[in-house]
Amino acid sequence: MRRPLSALSALALGLAVAAVLTPSASAAPLPLPGPPPPARVVDKYPDQMPPAGIGAVYSPGTVGFLTLPYLGDGHFISSNFDHCHPDYSRDGVICRFDGTVAYAGNGSDPDAPTGYAKTSGKDDYLYYDGHDGVDMGLYYEPVVAAADGTVTYADWSTAGCTRCSFGRGVRLDHGNGFDTLYGHLWRIDVARGQRVRRGQVIGVSGTTGASTGEHLHFGVYHHATWDPVDPFGWSGAGPDPWSHDVGNLWVGGAARSPALL
């Protein structure tokens, strides 16, 4: 015969159960969605990269240390690093790393007003004005470390706010003067202070934070100042409009999967 719990014992048991059931800041709020619908795997913005594709070599890198923050292929870039003021302010112009420029005066995407046309009256848009990273079309997929490093942040960008900034995110210090940021994650699989290796899964992509759809925000920043840099560097004619860039940061000058090294 089971004895009834004392009030103190019942309280202790209740607290223990609550501790087990209370999710951590990095736990997934819901089960992962099913397979992506066909519309999600189609490259909706095919001209975000030059015709050679994401694996092409654009400019020789002298300090290259990064690989892509995902495994496999078939992904696309939906928004580029804006070399004309990557500070999230709108100045009416988007400058891509290869020198391609789009202007608000040429027309904006009606579904995404910060995307501008390269040609007046056309729908050859670049995205998006003021962006300080690279948005990659990952639909609830594993996100991996782009290089060896230490986790310096693994939580919501703003406590208690699920629609703010980059949402759930992970920041890695690579020990060479650069950090990488992985934003809008659905789930975080690492903890602050943890050492990770290139290609190690650190979370699952999603659409948390200030996001209009499932993707990964991949950003590279100077560790000391948090000034953003474009991992693709600058290969356009004339000087780089963004003075903080340091050149191509991909291993060997090409953005490739860590599985190919």
Side-chain angles (χ1 to χ4, degrees):
M1 178 177 177
R2 181 181 298 172
R3 293 183 178 180
L5 291 173
S6 68
L8 185 59
S9 298
L11 177 60
L13 178 60
L15 291 175
V17 170
V20 171
L21 296 181
T22 300
S24 67
S26 60
L30 294 170
L32 291 178
R40 294 295 188 184
V41 297
V42 174
D43 184 349
K44 296 187 294 183
Y45 311 111
D47 197 37
Q48 292 303 289
M49 297 295 296
I54 199 167
V57 176
Y58 302 112
S59 60
T62 57
V63 290
F65 70 101
L66 295 172
T67 51
L68 289 168
Y70 57 81
L71 302 171
D73 51 23
H75 300 87
F76 59 92
I77 287 180
S78 56
S79 294
N80 291 271
F81 183 101
D82 180 9
H83 285 253
C84 291
H85 301 100
D87 56 6
Y88 291 92
S89 65
R90 299 188 188 184
D91 63 350
V93 59
I94 301 171
C95 303
R96 193 169 63 180
F97 69 90
D98 61 346
T100 302
V101 180
Y103 298 96
N106 289 339
S108 299
D109 184 341
D111 297 321
T114 54
Y116 306 148
K118 294 182 294 181
T119 308
S120 181
K122 303 291 185 179
D123 59 0
D124 51 352
Y125 304 115
L126 286 183
Y127 304 84
Y128 66 84
D129 194 353
H131 194 222
D132 77 342
V134 179
D135 285 344
M136 300 178 172
L138 274 69
Y139 184 91
Y140 299 102
E141 298 174 54
V143 173
V144 304
D148 296 356
T150 300
V151 179
T152 57
Y153 195 87
D155 208 331
W156 290 95
S157 59
T158 304
C161 183
T162 61
R163 302 300 299 169
C164 295
S165 189
F166 57 79
R168 275 196 176 102
V170 171
R171 194 164 69 224
L172 302 181
D173 176 0
H174 298 289
N176 59 357
F178 297 99
D179 287 23
T180 51
L181 171 68
Y182 310 77
H184 307 300
L185 301 181
W186 181 259
R187 190 180 76 217
I188 294 174
D189 293 334
V190 292
R192 185 178 180 182
Q194 181 178 340
R195 285 284 299 170
V196 296
R197 305 290 294 177
R198 179 194 311 280
Q200 179 177 336
V201 174
I202 59 175
V204 174
S205 65
T207 184
T208 59
S211 170
T212 57
E214 299 81 1
H215 72 285
L216 170 69
H217 172 96
F218 178 65
V220 186
Y221 305 85
H222 288 286
H223 179 77
T225 61
W226 203 242
D227 289 318
V229 298
D230 188 348
F232 287 96
W234 176 257
S235 56
D240 187 345
W242 183 241
S243 62
H244 297 286
D245 267 328
V246 293
N248 188 303
L249 292 177
W250 303 110
V251 171
R256 55 169 62 87
S257 168
L260 299 178
L261 290 186

